[in-house]
Amino acid sequence: PPDTTRAAVLDLGGSKSEKRLDALDGLRGYAALIVVPYHTITGIKPDSIPFLVGTPLIEMGASDPWMTKLAIAIFNGESAVLLFFVLSGYVLTRSVAQDLSRHPLLNVSLAFAIRRIFRIFPSLAACLIAIFIIVNTVHWLIPLSATSYSGKQLLANLLLLDFPLNGATWRLQAEMLAMPVMLAAGVLVGRWGLSGAA
C-alpha cells in the first residue's frame, strides 16, 4: 500500500493552485523598498541612529541633521520590519489553517517546521559562509583593513544564537522562535475563523 503519511506530508508544500494574495506581495515589495534606503542612511553613521530615531524633528536645532531625520521618518525601516513580521505571521498562519483542513495536526506541524527550516537555513548558511570567507580573506591580505571571524562565531550565527557576522539575522531567530505561535494561531483560525485569530 502507498505511504499515505509521507504523501500527506509532502503535499503540504502548497500547491500552485492556491490563490496568492497580490496585495500582500505589494506590501512586501513596499516594505523592501523602505528598508533599503533606511539601511543606506543609517549605515553611513550607525552611532547616530539613537539620536536620529529618538529625537523628535521639532526638537532638532538648525545644526542637527534634520534632513537625515526627515529621510528616516519617510523611509522608516523599523516600521517596515514590523510589517514584514505581521505579513509573515498572517501568511504562515493562513497556510497552517488551510493545511489543517486537509491533514492531521502532527503531519501539518512536522511539514511546517521542515519547510521553515529548509526555507531559511540553506540561504542563511550560504550568506554567512560567504561573509566569513570574504571578511577573513580581506583580513588575511590586509590585516588592518577588516575584522576577522572565528569558526565559533560563524557557528553561533548559523545556529541563530548570536549575530556577529550578520546582525540582520536576528529576524530569522525571531521567526524560528515564533513557529509554535504560528502553528497555534493556525489551529485557532482553522477551528474558529476570525474569532480564533482574536
PDB file of all heavy atoms in Angstrom, residues 2-15 98-100 102-112 114-115:
ATOM      1  N   PRO A   2       0.376   2.336  -0.586  1.00  0.00           N
ATOM      2  CA  PRO A   2       1.175   3.565  -0.636  1.00  0.00           C
ATOM      3  C   PRO A   2       1.354   4.167   0.750  1.00  0.00           C
ATOM      4  O   PRO A   2       0.528   3.977   1.633  1.00  0.00           O
ATOM      5  CB  PRO A   2       0.352   4.497  -1.536  1.00  0.00           C
ATOM      6  CG  PRO A   2      -1.041   3.987  -1.448  1.00  0.00           C
ATOM      7  CD  PRO A   2      -0.930   2.507  -1.223  1.00  0.00           C
ATOM      8  N   ASP A   3       2.430   4.871   0.929  1.00  0.00           N
ATOM      9  CA  ASP A   3       2.725   5.522   2.201  1.00  0.00           C
ATOM     10  C   ASP A   3       1.946   6.836   2.250  1.00  0.00           C
ATOM     11  O   ASP A   3       2.405   7.871   1.790  1.00  0.00           O
ATOM     12  CB  ASP A   3       4.229   5.775   2.310  1.00  0.00           C
ATOM     13  CG  ASP A   3       4.612   6.325   3.674  1.00  0.00           C
ATOM     14  OD1 ASP A   3       3.701   6.652   4.455  1.00  0.00           O
ATOM     15  OD2 ASP A   3       5.817   6.432   3.943  1.00  0.00           O
ATOM     16  N   THR A   4       0.730   6.772   2.797  1.00  0.00           N
ATOM     17  CA  THR A   4      -0.143   7.952   2.788  1.00  0.00           C
ATOM     18  C   THR A   4       0.363   9.046   3.708  1.00  0.00           C
ATOM     19  O   THR A   4       0.149  10.228   3.440  1.00  0.00           O
ATOM     20  CB  THR A   4      -1.580   7.564   3.202  1.00  0.00           C
ATOM     21  OG1 THR A   4      -1.517   6.890   4.452  1.00  0.00           O
ATOM     22  CG2 THR A   4      -2.225   6.677   2.160  1.00  0.00           C
ATOM     23  N   THR A   5       1.033   8.690   4.808  1.00  0.00           N
ATOM     24  CA  THR A   5       1.574   9.707   5.713  1.00  0.00           C
ATOM     25  C   THR A   5       2.632  10.528   4.998  1.00  0.00           C
ATOM     26  O   THR A   5       2.632  11.750   5.048  1.00  0.00           O
ATOM     27  CB  THR A   5       2.185   9.049   6.965  1.00  0.00           C
ATOM     28  OG1 THR A   5       1.203   8.245   7.579  1.00  0.00           O
ATOM     29  CG2 THR A   5       2.689  10.099   7.920  1.00  0.00           C
ATOM     30  N   ARG A   6       3.522   9.818   4.286  1.00  0.00           N
ATOM     31  CA  ARG A   6       4.580  10.521   3.556  1.00  0.00           C
ATOM     32  C   ARG A   6       3.972  11.402   2.477  1.00  0.00           C
ATOM     33  O   ARG A   6       4.370  12.543   2.291  1.00  0.00           O
ATOM     34  CB  ARG A   6       5.537   9.509   2.940  1.00  0.00           C
ATOM     35  CG  ARG A   6       6.707  10.133   2.239  1.00  0.00           C
ATOM     36  CD  ARG A   6       7.733   9.054   1.887  1.00  0.00           C
ATOM     37  NE  ARG A   6       8.861   9.658   1.208  1.00  0.00           N
ATOM     38  CZ  ARG A   6       8.973   9.735  -0.101  1.00  0.00           C
ATOM     39  NH1 ARG A   6       8.029   9.243  -0.873  1.00  0.00           N
ATOM     40  NH2 ARG A   6      10.037  10.297  -0.657  1.00  0.00           N
ATOM     41  N   ALA A   7       2.977  10.885   1.767  1.00  0.00           N
ATOM     42  CA  ALA A   7       2.339  11.663   0.704  1.00  0.00           C
ATOM     43  C   ALA A   7       1.661  12.897   1.283  1.00  0.00           C
ATOM     44  O   ALA A   7       1.726  13.979   0.711  1.00  0.00           O
ATOM     45  CB  ALA A   7       1.322  10.798  -0.039  1.00  0.00           C
ATOM     46  N   ALA A   8       1.023  12.726   2.441  1.00  0.00           N
ATOM     47  CA  ALA A   8       0.334  13.867   3.051  1.00  0.00           C
ATOM     48  C   ALA A   8       1.320  14.935   3.477  1.00  0.00           C
ATOM     49  O   ALA A   8       1.090  16.118   3.259  1.00  0.00           O
ATOM     50  CB  ALA A   8      -0.480  13.395   4.258  1.00  0.00           C
ATOM     51  N   VAL A   9       2.438  14.512   4.059  1.00  0.00           N
ATOM     52  CA  VAL A   9       3.438  15.483   4.491  1.00  0.00           C
ATOM     53  C   VAL A   9       4.021  16.205   3.290  1.00  0.00           C
ATOM     54  O   VAL A   9       4.180  17.412   3.284  1.00  0.00           O
ATOM     55  CB  VAL A   9       4.545  14.794   5.321  1.00  0.00           C
ATOM     56  CG1 VAL A   9       5.695  15.750   5.558  1.00  0.00           C
ATOM     57  CG2 VAL A   9       3.980  14.311   6.641  1.00  0.00           C
ATOM     58  N   LEU A  10       4.334  15.460   2.223  1.00  0.00           N
ATOM     59  CA  LEU A  10       4.910  16.088   1.038  1.00  0.00           C
ATOM     60  C   LEU A  10       3.914  17.016   0.356  1.00  0.00           C
ATOM     61  O   LEU A  10       4.281  18.030  -0.216  1.00  0.00           O
ATOM     62  CB  LEU A  10       5.388  15.015   0.050  1.00  0.00           C
ATOM     63  CG  LEU A  10       6.561  14.164   0.536  1.00  0.00           C
ATOM     64  CD1 LEU A  10       6.875  13.078  -0.480  1.00  0.00           C
ATOM     65  CD2 LEU A  10       7.788  15.033   0.772  1.00  0.00           C
ATOM     66  N   ASP A  11       2.630  16.687   0.421  1.00  0.00           N
ATOM     67  CA  ASP A  11       1.600  17.503  -0.205  1.00  0.00           C
ATOM     68  C   ASP A  11       1.424  18.852   0.487  1.00  0.00           C
ATOM     69  O   ASP A  11       0.855  19.768  -0.076  1.00  0.00           O
ATOM     70  CB  ASP A  11       0.270  16.729  -0.180  1.00  0.00           C
ATOM     71  CG  ASP A  11      -0.831  17.500  -0.865  1.00  0.00           C
ATOM     72  OD1 ASP A  11      -0.633  17.951  -2.002  1.00  0.00           O
ATOM     73  OD2 ASP A  11      -1.893  17.668  -0.240  1.00  0.00           O
ATOM     74  N   LEU A  12       1.932  18.968   1.723  1.00  0.00           N
ATOM     75  CA  LEU A  12       1.734  20.196   2.485  1.00  0.00           C
ATOM     76  C   LEU A  12       2.602  21.343   1.982  1.00  0.00           C
ATOM     77  O   LEU A  12       2.510  22.451   2.475  1.00  0.00           O
ATOM     78  CB  LEU A  12       2.030  19.957   3.970  1.00  0.00           C
ATOM     79  CG  LEU A  12       1.034  19.053   4.670  1.00  0.00           C
ATOM     80  CD1 LEU A  12       1.479  18.821   6.102  1.00  0.00           C
ATOM     81  CD2 LEU A  12      -0.344  19.623   4.639  1.00  0.00           C
ATOM     82  N   GLY A  13       3.423  21.119   0.999  1.00  0.00           N
ATOM     83  CA  GLY A  13       4.288  22.170   0.482  1.00  0.00           C
ATOM     84  C   GLY A  13       3.524  23.306  -0.170  1.00  0.00           C
ATOM     85  O   GLY A  13       4.086  24.344  -0.457  1.00  0.00           O
ATOM     86  N   GLY A  14       2.255  23.155  -0.404  1.00  0.00           N
ATOM     87  CA  GLY A  14       1.469  24.225  -1.015  1.00  0.00           C
ATOM     88  C   GLY A  14       1.413  24.018  -2.514  1.00  0.00           C
ATOM     89  O   GLY A  14       2.418  24.007  -3.196  1.00  0.00           O
ATOM     90  N   SER A  15       0.231  23.837  -3.026  1.00  0.00           N
ATOM     91  CA  SER A  15       0.105  23.610  -4.455  1.00  0.00           C
ATOM     92  C   SER A  15       0.054  24.939  -5.195  1.00  0.00           C
ATOM     93  O   SER A  15      -0.259  25.974  -4.633  1.00  0.00           O
ATOM     94  CB  SER A  15      -1.171  22.804  -4.728  1.00  0.00           C
ATOM     95  OG  SER A  15      -2.297  23.575  -4.369  1.00  0.00           O
ATOM     96  N   GLN A  98      -5.174  26.319   6.399  1.00  0.00           N
ATOM     97  CA  GLN A  98      -5.605  25.595   5.198  1.00  0.00           C
ATOM     98  C   GLN A  98      -5.123  24.150   5.226  1.00  0.00           C
ATOM     99  O   GLN A  98      -5.874  23.230   4.878  1.00  0.00           O
ATOM    100  CB  GLN A  98      -5.082  26.297   3.942  1.00  0.00           C
ATOM    101  CG  GLN A  98      -5.776  27.604   3.646  1.00  0.00           C
ATOM    102  CD  GLN A  98      -5.142  28.353   2.478  1.00  0.00           C
ATOM    103  OE1 GLN A  98      -4.045  28.013   2.029  1.00  0.00           O
ATOM    104  NE2 GLN A  98      -5.824  29.380   2.005  1.00  0.00           N
ATOM    105  N   ASP A  99      -3.879  23.938   5.634  1.00  0.00           N
ATOM    106  CA  ASP A  99      -3.338  22.581   5.694  1.00  0.00           C
ATOM    107  C   ASP A  99      -4.084  21.726   6.714  1.00  0.00           C
ATOM    108  O   ASP A  99      -4.299  20.536   6.490  1.00  0.00           O
ATOM    109  CB  ASP A  99      -1.849  22.613   6.034  1.00  0.00           C
ATOM    110  CG  ASP A  99      -0.999  23.155   4.891  1.00  0.00           C
ATOM    111  OD1 ASP A  99      -1.495  23.246   3.749  1.00  0.00           O
ATOM    112  OD2 ASP A  99       0.169  23.510   5.155  1.00  0.00           O
ATOM    113  N   LEU A 100      -4.486  22.342   7.827  1.00  0.00           N
ATOM    114  CA  LEU A 100      -5.198  21.590   8.870  1.00  0.00           C
ATOM    115  C   LEU A 100      -6.585  21.143   8.414  1.00  0.00           C
ATOM    116  O   LEU A 100      -7.137  20.193   8.965  1.00  0.00           O
ATOM    117  CB  LEU A 100      -5.310  22.424  10.145  1.00  0.00           C
ATOM    118  CG  LEU A 100      -4.032  22.504  10.978  1.00  0.00           C
ATOM    119  CD1 LEU A 100      -4.174  23.545  12.092  1.00  0.00           C
ATOM    120  CD2 LEU A 100      -3.677  21.141  11.557  1.00  0.00           C
ATOM    121  N   ARG A 102      -7.076  19.741   5.697  1.00  0.00           N
ATOM    122  CA  ARG A 102      -6.860  18.553   4.863  1.00  0.00           C
ATOM    123  C   ARG A 102      -6.031  17.460   5.529  1.00  0.00           C
ATOM    124  O   ARG A 102      -6.037  16.323   5.083  1.00  0.00           O
ATOM    125  CB  ARG A 102      -6.165  18.971   3.569  1.00  0.00           C
ATOM    126  CG  ARG A 102      -6.930  19.962   2.729  1.00  0.00           C
ATOM    127  CD  ARG A 102      -6.231  20.244   1.411  1.00  0.00           C
ATOM    128  NE  ARG A 102      -4.865  20.676   1.565  1.00  0.00           N
ATOM    129  CZ  ARG A 102      -4.439  21.930   1.384  1.00  0.00           C
ATOM    130  NH1 ARG A 102      -5.287  22.874   1.057  1.00  0.00           N
ATOM    131  NH2 ARG A 102      -3.175  22.234   1.529  1.00  0.00           N
ATOM    132  N   HIS A 103      -5.265  17.807   6.582  1.00  0.00           N
ATOM    133  CA  HIS A 103      -4.313  16.854   7.156  1.00  0.00           C
ATOM    134  C   HIS A 103      -4.334  16.921   8.681  1.00  0.00           C
ATOM    135  O   HIS A 103      -4.693  17.942   9.258  1.00  0.00           O
ATOM    136  CB  HIS A 103      -2.900  17.159   6.655  1.00  0.00           C
ATOM    137  CG  HIS A 103      -2.783  17.196   5.161  1.00  0.00           C
ATOM    138  ND1 HIS A 103      -2.827  16.070   4.381  1.00  0.00           N
ATOM    139  CD2 HIS A 103      -2.645  18.244   4.309  1.00  0.00           C
ATOM    140  CE1 HIS A 103      -2.717  16.410   3.113  1.00  0.00           C
ATOM    141  NE2 HIS A 103      -2.607  17.723   3.040  1.00  0.00           N
ATOM    142  N   PRO A 104      -3.873  15.849   9.344  1.00  0.00           N
ATOM    143  CA  PRO A 104      -3.812  15.842  10.809  1.00  0.00           C
ATOM    144  C   PRO A 104      -2.771  16.838  11.346  1.00  0.00           C
ATOM    145  O   PRO A 104      -1.800  17.177  10.662  1.00  0.00           O
ATOM    146  CB  PRO A 104      -3.396  14.411  11.155  1.00  0.00           C
ATOM    147  CG  PRO A 104      -3.508  13.622   9.913  1.00  0.00           C
ATOM    148  CD  PRO A 104      -3.506  14.555   8.761  1.00  0.00           C
ATOM    149  N   LEU A 105      -2.977  17.267  12.576  1.00  0.00           N
ATOM    150  CA  LEU A 105      -2.126  18.275  13.210  1.00  0.00           C
ATOM    151  C   LEU A 105      -0.657  17.858  13.237  1.00  0.00           C
ATOM    152  O   LEU A 105       0.229  18.673  12.957  1.00  0.00           O
ATOM    153  CB  LEU A 105      -2.621  18.566  14.632  1.00  0.00           C
ATOM    154  CG  LEU A 105      -1.792  19.540  15.456  1.00  0.00           C
ATOM    155  CD1 LEU A 105      -1.749  20.919  14.785  1.00  0.00           C
ATOM    156  CD2 LEU A 105      -2.338  19.657  16.874  1.00  0.00           C
ATOM    157  N   LEU A 106      -0.370  16.602  13.554  1.00  0.00           N
ATOM    158  CA  LEU A 106       1.023  16.154  13.633  1.00  0.00           C
ATOM    159  C   LEU A 106       1.721  16.290  12.277  1.00  0.00           C
ATOM    160  O   LEU A 106       2.836  16.800  12.193  1.00  0.00           O
ATOM    161  CB  LEU A 106       1.105  14.706  14.131  1.00  0.00           C
ATOM    162  CG  LEU A 106       2.523  14.138  14.260  1.00  0.00           C
ATOM    163  CD1 LEU A 106       3.346  14.954  15.260  1.00  0.00           C
ATOM    164  CD2 LEU A 106       2.483  12.674  14.654  1.00  0.00           C
ATOM    165  N   ASN A 107       1.043  15.870  11.207  1.00  0.00           N
ATOM    166  CA  ASN A 107       1.630  15.989   9.866  1.00  0.00           C
ATOM    167  C   ASN A 107       1.859  17.453   9.494  1.00  0.00           C
ATOM    168  O   ASN A 107       2.898  17.810   8.939  1.00  0.00           O
ATOM    169  CB  ASN A 107       0.730  15.335   8.819  1.00  0.00           C
ATOM    170  CG  ASN A 107       0.716  13.826   8.927  1.00  0.00           C
ATOM    171  OD1 ASN A 107       1.355  13.252   9.803  1.00  0.00           O
ATOM    172  ND2 ASN A 107      -0.018  13.185   8.047  1.00  0.00           N
ATOM    173  N   VAL A 108       0.886  18.285   9.787  1.00  0.00           N
ATOM    174  CA  VAL A 108       0.996  19.711   9.462  1.00  0.00           C
ATOM    175  C   VAL A 108       2.140  20.338  10.258  1.00  0.00           C
ATOM    176  O   VAL A 108       2.938  21.111   9.714  1.00  0.00           O
ATOM    177  CB  VAL A 108      -0.339  20.444   9.748  1.00  0.00           C
ATOM    178  CG1 VAL A 108      -0.181  21.946   9.615  1.00  0.00           C
ATOM    179  CG2 VAL A 108      -1.427  19.935   8.809  1.00  0.00           C
ATOM    180  N   SER A 109       2.240  19.998  11.535  1.00  0.00           N
ATOM    181  CA  SER A 109       3.300  20.562  12.380  1.00  0.00           C
ATOM    182  C   SER A 109       4.681  20.172  11.870  1.00  0.00           C
ATOM    183  O   SER A 109       5.577  21.016  11.765  1.00  0.00           O
ATOM    184  CB  SER A 109       3.141  20.091  13.827  1.00  0.00           C
ATOM    185  OG  SER A 109       1.899  20.498  14.341  1.00  0.00           O
ATOM    186  N   LEU A 110       4.862  18.889  11.558  1.00  0.00           N
ATOM    187  CA  LEU A 110       6.158  18.427  11.047  1.00  0.00           C
ATOM    188  C   LEU A 110       6.486  19.077   9.715  1.00  0.00           C
ATOM    189  O   LEU A 110       7.606  19.558   9.501  1.00  0.00           O
ATOM    190  CB  LEU A 110       6.158  16.903  10.909  1.00  0.00           C
ATOM    191  CG  LEU A 110       6.215  16.114  12.206  1.00  0.00           C
ATOM    192  CD1 LEU A 110       6.020  14.621  11.928  1.00  0.00           C
ATOM    193  CD2 LEU A 110       7.536  16.348  12.912  1.00  0.00           C
ATOM    194  N   ALA A 111       5.521  19.104   8.814  1.00  0.00           N
ATOM    195  CA  ALA A 111       5.760  19.689   7.494  1.00  0.00           C
ATOM    196  C   ALA A 111       6.055  21.184   7.605  1.00  0.00           C
ATOM    197  O   ALA A 111       6.931  21.703   6.912  1.00  0.00           O
ATOM    198  CB  ALA A 111       4.551  19.455   6.592  1.00  0.00           C
ATOM    199  N   PHE A 112       5.338  21.869   8.482  1.00  0.00           N
ATOM    200  CA  PHE A 112       5.550  23.304   8.680  1.00  0.00           C
ATOM    201  C   PHE A 112       6.968  23.579   9.179  1.00  0.00           C
ATOM    202  O   PHE A 112       7.680  24.434   8.639  1.00  0.00           O
ATOM    203  CB  PHE A 112       4.521  23.842   9.677  1.00  0.00           C
ATOM    204  CG  PHE A 112       4.662  25.299   9.976  1.00  0.00           C
ATOM    205  CD1 PHE A 112       4.254  26.253   9.057  1.00  0.00           C
ATOM    206  CD2 PHE A 112       5.205  25.734  11.177  1.00  0.00           C
ATOM    207  CE1 PHE A 112       4.387  27.607   9.332  1.00  0.00           C
ATOM    208  CE2 PHE A 112       5.341  27.081  11.463  1.00  0.00           C
ATOM    209  CZ  PHE A 112       4.919  28.018  10.539  1.00  0.00           C
ATOM    210  N   ILE A 114       9.639  21.609   8.955  1.00  0.00           N
ATOM    211  CA  ILE A 114      10.615  21.230   7.929  1.00  0.00           C
ATOM    212  C   ILE A 114      10.677  22.282   6.826  1.00  0.00           C
ATOM    213  O   ILE A 114      11.766  22.674   6.392  1.00  0.00           O
ATOM    214  CB  ILE A 114      10.281  19.831   7.356  1.00  0.00           C
ATOM    215  CG1 ILE A 114      10.542  18.760   8.431  1.00  0.00           C
ATOM    216  CG2 ILE A 114      11.078  19.536   6.093  1.00  0.00           C
ATOM    217  CD1 ILE A 114       9.976  17.398   8.110  1.00  0.00           C
ATOM    218  N   ARG A 115       9.515  22.762   6.384  1.00  0.00           N
ATOM    219  CA  ARG A 115       9.501  23.804   5.337  1.00  0.00           C
ATOM    220  C   ARG A 115      10.209  25.063   5.805  1.00  0.00           C
ATOM    221  O   ARG A 115      10.959  25.678   5.051  1.00  0.00           O
ATOM    222  CB  ARG A 115       8.060  24.153   4.948  1.00  0.00           C
ATOM    223  CG  ARG A 115       7.432  23.201   3.980  1.00  0.00           C
ATOM    224  CD  ARG A 115       6.160  23.770   3.356  1.00  0.00           C
ATOM    225  NE  ARG A 115       5.315  24.510   4.252  1.00  0.00           N
ATOM    226  CZ  ARG A 115       4.135  24.093   4.703  1.00  0.00           C
ATOM    227  NH1 ARG A 115       3.669  22.918   4.351  1.00  0.00           N
ATOM    228  NH2 ARG A 115       3.423  24.846   5.503  1.00  0.00           N
TER     229      ARG A 115
END
